[in-house]
């Protein structure tokens, strides 16, 4: 597959680039779903670390420096997410779209509006 | 932005769909980077939970049922990843591509091939 | 409270030592349950990182060096665990003992023996 | 070892109780450091989940119900922490005390007082 950053499907291009990177280094042997799930949560935690002592407002005021670091953690998390989807044979976009459908049912706009309550707290009102 | 699943840039369509979902429910108020980082790691952990007692081989043998559940956790993680990128003003694809460039320098194929060692164990050989 | 490492209740001595450390630095203001939960998962992830590419067997063969690092992450996780219990007014030992009682019912030895299946896979057999 | 809740060393009693629970169910085979690190972070994330949408203040106002749930997650995290220390041959109390010594050097009270900055931001002032 030709890797072209100018394709309109930038996600496919990125996936191909990552797969080539891994193959070049003979790393598929380490990329079991178990290991990749561990690697991804480690990156997700590096993101959490940037905000652990921040107030909500401080977390919203990103300096250029902090935005760059946050970009690194998001990138690392994203790369592992793509690898797990790859090795498990899952279409990430399709899975995300399906989950949004499901969430729209769990959290109908008229009930969920402005509320941070978990759906179990009002869906049971339907019973 | 018109939400069209048939666009060749499926990632942009998904982003727009998620943003509309959040706006419809007036949830932006809860979507600080701090909260979103917490929400994302919770989903990453739900993925880890599927493999915690598996051997490496068991983790590779996904039943249809388990593949579906794994798809849900990946979807949830992906949705929060997109939201964090959104509220922090970060281009995920660009950040991922930049990180791969950096990793190619840290882990040159000729040194890293077949090894799971962290780059610090051989990059220092350059000194 | 007199901090005495020689008391037979080493856990109480450690708790007191940590509380004094935090108070001395005027850090209670940052120690909300929300922030502490984030800090603790960051440490738990630093532990995960040590094993992410290991096989199960490799993870069991700890070099002196790796055992020391693992000790650091366990210590950090433990310190935050104690702080969360402190600020939430929870007796950790009592909570752990209560949870073991609950688990003994969910995972009766005769059913759970040698199995890594979640209790939902056999508890429903009781219906 | 006789398990006695009335001993002054409640931590040792708890450790023994957990070890017996695991042995009774023939679960040591699943308790590699790798698997236990995964299990522990899953519990740490269940704690994070309770606070992900809370403001700092909301996270401090625990209802009796929420305190009970938080107690469960802390207990689960604690049990896995003790098991990892057990299988890795690490003395948790000693490791925690050693880490506090180290932290007192990284975060001297006169410099760290009232600040949530990482030690690297002021330790470098010593250069």
């Amino acid at each position: 597959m030709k890797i072209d950053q100018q394709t309109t499907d930038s996600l496919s291009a990125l996936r191909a680039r990552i797969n080539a990177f891994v193959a070049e280094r003979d790393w598929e042997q380490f990329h079991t779903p178990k290991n990749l799930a561990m690697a991804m949560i480690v990156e997700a935690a590096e993101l959490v670390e940037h905000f652990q002592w921040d107030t909500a407002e401080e977390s919203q005021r990103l300096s250029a420096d902090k935005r760059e670091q946050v970009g690194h953690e998001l990138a690392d998390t994203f790369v592992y997410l793509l690898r797990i989807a790859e090795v498990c044979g899952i279409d990430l976009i399709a899975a995300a779209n399906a989950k949004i459908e499901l969430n729209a049912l769990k959290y109908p706009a008229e009930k969920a509006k402005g509320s941070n309550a978990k759906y179990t707290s009002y869906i049971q009102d339907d019973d």
Side-chain angles (χ1 to χ4, degrees), chain A residues 51 54-62 66:
Chain A
F51 302 118
D54 284 359
T55 60
E57 299 68 39
E58 282 166 347
S59 85
Q60 289 173 312
R61 289 194 312 258
L62 295 182
K66 192 156 174 173

Side-chain angles (χ1 to χ4, degrees), chain A residues 2 15 18 33 38-39 43 47 74 76 78 113 118 122:
Chain A
K2 169 160 157 278
R15 280 181 55 209
I18 294 167
M38 292 178 86
E43 300 302 335
L47 177 73
L74 292 185
D76 287 335
F78 191 27
K113 206 171 166 76
K118 194 161 183 181
Y122 54 81

Side-chain angles (χ1 to χ4, degrees), chain A residues 98-111:
Chain A
K99 205 51 166 55
I100 293 169
E101 297 283 349
L102 217 80
N103 285 347
L105 295 172
K106 278 191 195 174
Y107 296 97
E110 62 280 3
K111 284 198 175 179

Side-chain angles (χ1 to χ4, degrees), chain A residues 11 16 26 31 39 41 46 52-53 60 67 69 74-75 86 92 108 115 117-118 123 126:
Chain A
L11 190 61
D26 202 23
H31 284 203
I41 201 169
E46 288 186 12
Q52 70 187 47
W53 303 125
Q60 289 173 312
R67 177 174 284 102
Q69 293 174 52
L74 292 185
E86 188 73 25
L92 252 190
S115 164
K118 194 161 183 181
I123 264 185
D126 291 340

Side-chain angles (χ1 to χ4, degrees), chain A residues 86-101:
Chain A
E86 188 73 25
V87 308
C88 292
I90 285 160
D91 178 331
L92 252 190
I93 297 282
N97 277 306
K99 205 51 166 55
I100 293 169
E101 297 283 349

